[in-house]
Amino acid sequence: MTVYEGECFCQTVRLQASGEPEAMGYCHCRSCRSWSGGPVNAFTLWKPDAVRITVGAEHVATFEKTPLSQRKYCTRCGGHLMAVHPPLGLIDVFAATLPTLKFGAGVHVNYAETVLPMRDGLPKLKDFPAEFGGSGQQMAE
């Protein structure tokens, strides 16, 4: 089984993600943009048992703006690590946190909120897939 290792900005917190992600893509929602500091957030979704903190767990804090996302970060450097999504039963380990994972986006979510239109041929969902409580409605590029 493949194990991907990642760390926060100051390397105090280290984590592992094992196997392969359930999905990868881009989120365009305002919350993700604000949290990531960029016009789009590259996500990798994992089952909870595939992700673990290996070093520095005592330096991990959580910010929960809504029940959908528990955002985890390092208390020393503020480096963003992951977002636990309890309603989805998945963890988003931010793509940049896992430098050896070959990122391969398959979808854009919350594209109705985009500030950076992307013409890459991938499906553009207005919000979330229907199986995650969204409309599943696709938008044009």
Side-chain angles (χ1 to χ4, degrees), residues 36-54:
S36 71
V40 65
N41 179 56
F43 65 81
T44 68
L45 296 176
W46 305 79
K47 290 182 179 173
D49 61 355
V51 179
R52 68 185 188 97
I53 302 291
T54 57

Side-chain angles (χ1 to χ4, degrees), residues 45-110:
L45 296 176
W46 305 79
K47 290 182 179 173
D49 61 355
V51 179
R52 68 185 188 97
I53 302 291
T54 57
V55 175
E58 68 275 16
H59 298 289
V60 176
T62 302
F63 178 76
E64 184 175 345
K65 183 177 180 180
T66 72
L68 181 62
S69 299
Q70 299 166 349
R71 298 176 188 274
K72 308 284 185 180
Y73 63 95
C74 172
T75 58
R76 284 202 172 163
C77 68
H80 299 175
L81 299 163
M82 66 185 85
V84 177
H85 299 298
L88 306 179
L90 295 168
I91 296 176
D92 171 7
V93 180
F94 306 122
T97 304
L98 300 171
T100 62
L101 175 68
K102 184 177 181 204
F103 182 74
V107 67
H108 291 263
V109 297
N110 297 303

